[in-house]
Amino acid sequence: MTDQTTIPQITETVAFADLYVSPFNPRTVVSDDEIASLAENIKIAGLIHNLAGFRHDGTEGVGVVAGGRRYRALALLQDDPRFQNVQVQLAADEDTAKLWATSENAQRQDLHPADEIRDYGTLSKTGMNACQIAVAYGVTEKKVYRRLALAGLDDAVLDALKATEISLSQAKAFTISNDAKLTLEVLEVVKSRGTKGWGAMSDHQIKEALKPDHVKGTDRRAVFVGGEEYKAAGGRIGGDLFENETIFDDPTILQDCFEAKLADTAVQLAEHNGWKWGEALMDDGVYYDTIERMKLARLYKVEGVLTEEENDRFNELSELVEGDACDDAGIAEYAELKAKVKGVFTDEQMTHAGMIMYVDFNGRVELIEGLVRVEDQAAAIEAGVLKKSAHKETAKKSPISAKLQEDLTRVVVGARQNALLDDPTLALDLLAYQLTQSQGYRRIHAYDLSLPYLSNVPETETGYAQDKRLTLPDPIESKGNEAEDFAAFRKRGHKKCMDMLVRKIIGQLSISDADLADMIDQKTKKVTRDHFTPTAENFFMRVGGPYMIELWNDLLDLSENHDAAKSFAILKKGEKAAKLEKLFGDEATRKALGVTETQDARIAAWLPEGMV
């Protein structure tokens, strides 16, 4: 074969009328729609890559050995003078022509991601859409969209990506930045720490460095205030394209908007609902001592009594609602009757009382109604809507102000913390006690922290085996005194307390960073199928029939025309699900089907898409 390194590059302008598809060209089957789309792209962006051709002996013109799709697209553009003459790179001999024809697709080197990002971004600015760009480059639309999402990155970031000084994943993290100076500063740090290993900055760390004070759109304040009010106050909205997340860039403005809207909403709700006053709390919940600290007395709703007819109707509607067979009108009627049973506040009660409002962790407005302030309690007692306290009021007014008392309390807390530093075992046992014994309505407040509930059990538990160690032992029987309860807890021994603490913390594991999750999985040798077996109930009845047919054939290496594949395909959905459940869970079934060792291993390792 001719040494390609010694052959000069020859490019000529050739009249399109003199071109034809060379017999060396391997591409014989093409899509008419694809060619039409490519022609539209060439019309907009021009011919990005030249054709490759060869002058065959005894034949006039130039045969196209590489670029058959482009040639066919150009044929549709011959009414445009720009494409009536085209640039063609000519092969010097037959060996070279054959080499070009067979290797163009197989040996073509993909563009570097940084080059793709720049190229796709440039074409997008000319008016080409993602579909057209995908056809022009022979890639998927999904890939084009991913690259276009990065087209707004600073040139320095793309240069670093091209030089492999940062990874593609790290480059994606820079899309949240709108500060050019900070982008360059953080980029230098990322480059200095590399792309792999423990020293490398994770995507999360990069985002935190670019926007250290940002607030996510899922924050309760952001949900309550909303983007429009926040922007009207001068706040800036950013976003994480790859997390599909809105970011509030100005936390101070958000907090001011939150406090203002909270106060206004409390007053408006009080007026709308007929209360004497309304007050907003900044906290995301009401704690066990909140009402007591605010020195509020509570009123309770006056329970209603249903007539015999209403009671019969209520029972009738209850059955319909529970059976999910009630229409909207019936549900509304049921709600009214249920509210009457629960009771309502009377007009006289509302004359003396008010409500407090707070925004919970999810941004929802919550109300606690029927509260009487200290200055209104005497009048409420006189009116008969509030009972006089049975406790004898002997306390004298303290000479210590509330502000001073708060400072003194802080001193006590600090002293307790200082002392606990010398007894770390006690401190850890106390943490284990709080996190493992707080259940239901019993909340232990030793440390100012709590762990959210993280579900690790699917709705359908068939086929799922959870390690019993994730279910903590029953809590100690409370004697109503926390000091005694904690003492009883410690009698189990520090090792047992730490074991419970470790299991409780593991039960909160929720890793969002893919690299960290992968590392933990490798270290622990996690095998999801050790704990999960697909069954009819937990999986197969929740997918479609075609999916089950494809899975059955794939696991057993069956063609669509195989008798076993045909007999499975005609089964009802429930029958398909039952057969797949037996295939996965019954060794005798696999033996009867003649499952090979390779197929058996495939079945044992199989997981649905999205599970890792």
Side-chain angles (χ1 to χ4, degrees):
M1 179 176 289
T2 305
D3 181 1
Q4 299 296 305
T5 61
T6 64
I7 298 176
Q9 299 293 314
I10 305 170
T11 302
E12 291 185 9
T13 300
V14 180
F16 183 81
D18 293 336
L19 296 174
Y20 62 93
V21 177
S22 167
F24 295 163
N25 194 306
R27 189 184 293 275
T28 58
V29 179
V30 294
S31 164
D32 291 341
D33 290 340
E34 197 175 282
I35 295 301
S37 181
L38 179 56
E40 187 63 26
N41 288 349
I42 294 174
K43 185 176 181 179
I44 295 172
L47 189 61
I48 299 173
H49 302 292
N50 290 337
L51 303 177
F54 177 64
R55 286 193 171 94
H56 293 270
D57 293 337
T59 304
E60 294 183 4
V62 175
V64 176
V65 296
R69 291 172 65 252
R70 279 166 279 158
Y71 169 80
R72 292 174 175 89
L74 288 167
L76 301 178
L77 300 173
Q78 288 310 295
D79 58 343
D80 188 330
R82 293 180 298 161
F83 306 113
Q84 292 172 357
N85 294 285
V86 295
Q87 293 288 305
V88 181
Q89 184 175 346
L90 295 175
D93 53 45
E94 187 172 303
D95 284 346
T96 301
K98 289 180 178 179
L99 177 64
W100 287 0
T102 57
S103 67
E104 184 192 51
N105 291 320
Q107 301 298 326
R108 186 180 63 189
Q109 185 176 3
D110 290 336
L111 285 173
H112 188 279
D115 294 326
E116 286 182 330
I117 292 165
R118 285 186 164 118
D119 286 359
Y120 297 174
T122 300
L123 291 177
S124 178
K125 290 177 182 177
T126 69
M128 290 178 65
N129 59 37
C131 177
Q132 293 169 327
I133 296 172
V135 172
Y137 278 82
V139 296
T140 63
E141 285 187 52
K142 184 176 181 180
K143 182 174 184 178
V144 174
Y145 281 119
R146 288 200 302 262
R147 296 295 187 253
L148 288 177
L150 297 165
L153 284 172
D154 190 286
D155 283 340
V157 176
L158 291 177
D159 289 341
L161 175 62
K162 180 69 181 287
T164 67
E165 295 173 313
I166 64 173
S167 68
L168 183 59
S169 177
Q170 289 173 323
K172 291 176 181 178
F174 281 89
T175 58
I176 73 166
S177 180
N178 52 13
D179 185 329
K181 182 174 181 294
L182 184 58
T183 293
L184 297 179
E185 292 174 356
V186 174
L187 178 62
E188 290 306 313
V189 176
V190 176
K191 288 161 57 177
S192 68
R193 294 174 60 173
T195 59
K196 295 181 180 179
W198 292 106
M201 288 182 72
S202 68
D203 302 352
H204 175 73
Q205 289 173 322
I206 294 171
K207 292 173 184 177
E208 288 296 313
L210 291 168
K211 290 192 176 180
D213 299 321
H214 74 274
V215 175
K216 294 182 178 179
T218 53
D219 183 276
R220 70 187 185 103
R221 296 169 297 169
V223 174
F224 177 65
V225 172
E228 294 305 315
E229 289 189 34
Y230 165 76
K231 287 190 288 186
R236 296 169 299 167
I237 291 283
D240 189 335
L241 298 173
F242 295 92
E243 297 292 338
N244 195 24
E245 188 173 62
T246 301
I247 294 175
F248 288 64
D249 289 338
D250 301 295
T252 302
I253 294 177
L254 177 61
Q255 182 65 27
D256 290 344
C257 290
F258 176 72
E259 293 179 6
K261 183 172 183 177
L262 200 62
D264 289 345
T265 304
V267 173
Q268 291 169 10
L269 286 175
E271 292 178 356
H272 176 76
N273 295 334
W275 294 106
K276 182 178 181 180
W277 55 268
E279 183 177 338
L281 301 181
M282 292 296 131
D283 296 329
D284 60 2
V286 171
Y287 301 100
Y288 71 100
D289 62 343
T290 299
I291 305 299
E292 182 181 346
R293 284 190 291 103
M294 296 178 71
K295 298 181 179 178
L296 299 171
R298 296 201 70 160
L299 302 182
Y300 297 93
K301 294 178 179 179
V302 177
E303 293 184 5
V305 179
L306 298 180
T307 65
E308 185 175 345
E309 183 180 341
E310 287 176 327
N311 190 62
D312 291 341
R313 179 61 174 161
F314 180 72
N315 291 333
E316 178 187 350
L317 289 170
S318 296
E319 293 182 5
L320 292 173
V321 170
E322 289 177 6
D324 198 23
C326 198
D327 58 19
D328 291 343
I331 292 174
E333 184 183 356
Y334 172 74
E336 289 180 9
L337 292 172
K338 189 173 182 180
K340 185 175 181 180
V341 172
K342 286 187 174 181
V344 295
F345 289 105
T346 66
D347 292 341
E348 191 171 11
Q349 284 177 314
M350 298 177 80
T351 301
H352 298 278
M355 45 145 278
I356 57 177
M357 176 200 123
Y358 65 92
V359 173
D360 72 8
F361 182 77
N362 294 308
R364 294 188 296 254
V365 171
E366 299 288 348
L367 304 178
I368 298 181
E369 301 173 303
L371 304 172
V372 185
R373 285 173 166 168
V374 172
E375 58 268 29
D376 296 326
Q377 291 174 11
I381 292 171
E382 187 177 346
V385 298
L386 179 67
K387 291 183 179 180
K388 189 172 183 178
S389 174
H391 298 288
K392 193 172 181 179
E393 296 182 10
T394 58
K396 296 181 181 180
K397 182 176 176 62
S398 173
I400 298 176
S401 68
K403 190 169 182 62
L404 175 57
Q405 184 60 59
E406 184 177 344
D407 268 355
L408 296 177
T409 300
R410 291 178 179 179
V411 171
V412 172
V413 171
R416 185 174 296 123
Q417 291 172 343
N418 290 337
L420 202 54
L421 286 173
D422 294 329
D423 195 342
T425 298
L426 176 61
L428 290 171
D429 285 350
L430 187 57
L431 176 61
Y433 172 64
Q434 172 172 333
L435 295 184
T436 62
Q437 302 300 300
S438 290
Q439 295 187 14
Y441 289 102
R442 186 174 186 232
R443 288 289 179 265
I444 297 166
H445 297 273
Y447 293 98
D448 187 16
L449 57 86
S450 62
L451 296 178
Y453 171 72
L454 292 178
S455 178
N456 59 359
V457 178
E459 291 182 9
T460 301
E461 294 188 46
T462 58
Y464 177 70
Q466 186 183 41
D467 195 307
K468 292 181 179 179
R469 289 175 297 176
L470 288 175
T471 304
L472 293 171
D474 291 336
I476 59 173
E477 183 178 349
S478 176
K479 299 178 181 178
N481 181 302
E482 291 229 342
E484 293 182 18
D485 291 349
F486 178 48
F489 178 80
R490 291 198 82 201
K491 285 183 179 179
R492 299 176 176 184
H494 180 66
K495 183 177 180 181
K496 180 69 174 178
C497 293
M498 291 303 96
D499 175 64
M500 293 179 67
L501 176 60
V502 168
R503 284 185 281 155
K504 181 68 176 180
I505 292 173
I506 290 173
Q508 300 296 313
L509 185 68
S510 178
I511 302 175
S512 59
D513 182 85
D515 292 337
L516 177 58
D518 185 57
M519 190 207 78
I520 295 298
D521 290 347
Q522 290 183 33
K523 292 286 185 183
T524 58
K525 297 180 173 61
K526 183 202 75 170
V527 180
T528 303
R529 279 295 302 277
D530 286 350
H531 310 283
F532 169 78
T533 300
T535 67
E537 183 181 357
N538 72 19
F539 185 75
F540 299 122
M541 284 299 292
R542 300 161 78 175
V543 297
Y547 180 96
M548 288 191 281
I549 293 172
E550 183 179 350
L551 177 61
W552 177 267
N553 294 344
D554 181 57
L555 292 174
L556 299 178
D557 297 312
L558 302 175
S559 67
E560 292 183 4
N561 297 321
H562 193 284
D563 290 342
K566 290 179 179 179
S567 62
F568 183 83
I570 63 175
L571 295 175
K572 294 180 180 179
K573 180 176 180 179
E575 293 171 334
K576 288 186 178 78
K579 289 206 71 168
L580 278 166
E581 178 175 322
K582 283 194 172 183
L583 179 65
F584 276 84
D586 184 36
E587 185 177 351
T589 297
R590 292 195 295 275
K591 189 173 182 180
L593 289 169
V595 173
T596 66
E597 288 186 12
T598 300
Q599 292 168 344
D600 194 60
R602 186 186 308 154
I603 293 168
W606 183 86
L607 284 169
E609 299 92 311
M611 294 183 73
V612 292

